[in-house]
Amino acid sequence: MNLFTPAEYTENYIKAGKSKAEMPLLRMFLLAVLAGFFIAMGGAVTNTAAHTISNVGLARVVSGLLFPFGLAMVVLTGAELFTGNTLMVMPALSRQITAKGLLRNWGVVYLGNAAGAILTAAGCAFSGQLNYSGGQLAVFSMKLAAGKCAMPFGNAVILGVFCNLLVTTGVLLALSAKDVTGRVVGAYLPVAFFVICGFEHCVANLFYIPVGLFAKTVPQYAVLAAGAGVDLSALTWGNFLLKNLLPVTVGNLIGGVGMGCLFWRCHGSKQS
């Protein structure tokens, strides 16, 4: 077979998690910045591809076809992604890593992901990349970001849970394959599901919302948004941090840790 069994790839992740926890801080941070960039590129390409598609279902499908390559690049390059690393609860439960090592990884990787995604957002907003369709890409990006900032807290948590149940499934399925094609396909399908459904991913939102916030400060984009009747009142850094990033991160943690506990209980070597 060209596949690992669930028990085998669960054990493989437990061993890999030990290496993740013991990684030098600078290397961990740089690999996290790289992952933040890859996920942000997934956001940039979906915004660019979907911004003129009026049919919502078609726009979601197009986005779902494109965004998952971001996670595939993370998996194949060994970059460090916070949402995927919530699975490190498995080596913690197996006592291969300490709680301190787990939290150290999560904290450093989250900051690195944020740096990579926000820098990419700034590059897109201030380089003219949003000028497509006479600046309508910028308007689309601001409208999308404002909608995310206006989402009720509880909704954001639940959508975050669903998202990371699928992302961590994608990580595990990628580990089930022994070749590049299998790893990409394994990562691809669950992430396509979450994008099409509109679930919430904290690292992706570290691109989607800052790119809108940065675009809002560009006078020509702000004028276009006003002319299109787009309400940007909810698009603030405070709403981003407290009404979206916080609940989505909590939801992603619940979903990812929950999936990790489930796989550890069902497929860990010491489980019956």
Side-chain angles (χ1 to χ4, degrees), residues 69-122:
F69 288 109
L71 180 62
M73 289 189 287
V74 169
V75 169
L76 294 178
T77 61
E80 291 286 305
L81 182 64
F82 169 76
T83 47
N85 283 9
T86 56
L87 287 171
M88 287 177 64
V89 68
M90 292 196 293
L93 289 169
S94 297
R95 299 187 180 183
Q96 297 298 307
I97 64 174
T98 63
K100 180 180 178 181
L102 175 67
L103 295 175
R104 170 181 177 268
N105 179 275
W106 283 356
V108 172
V109 169
Y110 195 97
L111 291 174
N113 289 168
I118 293 173
L119 285 171
T120 304

Side-chain angles (χ1 to χ4, degrees), residues 114-245:
I118 293 173
L119 285 171
T120 304
C124 289
F126 298 129
S127 69
Q129 193 271 330
L130 302 182
N131 287 342
Y132 275 103
S133 307
Q136 291 308 304
L137 175 55
V139 175
F140 176 89
S141 299
M142 288 184 282
K143 183 178 180 180
L144 178 67
K148 287 179 177 288
C149 286
M151 185 179 299
F153 192 99
N155 291 19
V157 172
I158 294 170
L159 294 176
V161 172
F162 286 151
C163 170
N164 218 29
L165 287 171
L166 288 167
V167 170
T168 49
T169 298
V171 171
L172 290 167
L173 291 181
L175 291 176
S176 73
K178 297 181 180 180
D179 57 26
V180 171
T181 301
R183 298 192 74 190
V184 170
V185 172
Y188 187 95
L189 293 175
V191 175
F193 284 7
F194 106 65
V195 174
I196 292 170
C197 291
F199 299 148
E200 293 287 308
H201 187 274
C202 63
V203 180
N205 285 355
L206 282 161
F207 170 81
Y208 281 124
I209 300 178
V211 76
L213 286 161
F214 292 137
K216 185 180 176 182
T217 68
V218 178
Q220 69 190 73
Y221 297 154
V223 169
L224 288 170
V230 178
D231 182 6
L232 299 180
S233 59
L235 185 55
T236 67
W237 285 99
N239 284 344
F240 165 46
L241 295 173
L242 297 178
K243 292 188 176 182
N244 185 277
L245 191 62

Side-chain angles (χ1 to χ4, degrees), residues 13-101:
Y13 189 90
I14 289 171
K15 293 175 184 176
K18 188 173 187 296
S19 298
K20 287 175 177 287
E22 296 172 351
M23 190 182 299
L25 281 177
L26 179 59
R27 182 183 175 207
M28 187 187 298
F29 180 78
L30 292 176
L31 288 173
V33 172
L34 183 63
F37 167 73
F38 287 149
I39 298 301
M41 282 290 104
V45 75
T46 57
N47 277 0
T48 303
H51 79 279
T52 60
I53 301 175
S54 58
N55 183 294
V56 175
L58 179 59
R60 299 312 308 167
V61 169
V62 169
S63 298
L65 290 174
L66 294 173
F67 185 91
F69 288 109
L71 180 62
M73 289 189 287
V74 169
V75 169
L76 294 178
T77 61
E80 291 286 305
L81 182 64
F82 169 76
T83 47
N85 283 9
T86 56
L87 287 171
M88 287 177 64
V89 68
M90 292 196 293
L93 289 169
S94 297
R95 299 187 180 183
Q96 297 298 307
I97 64 174
T98 63
K100 180 180 178 181

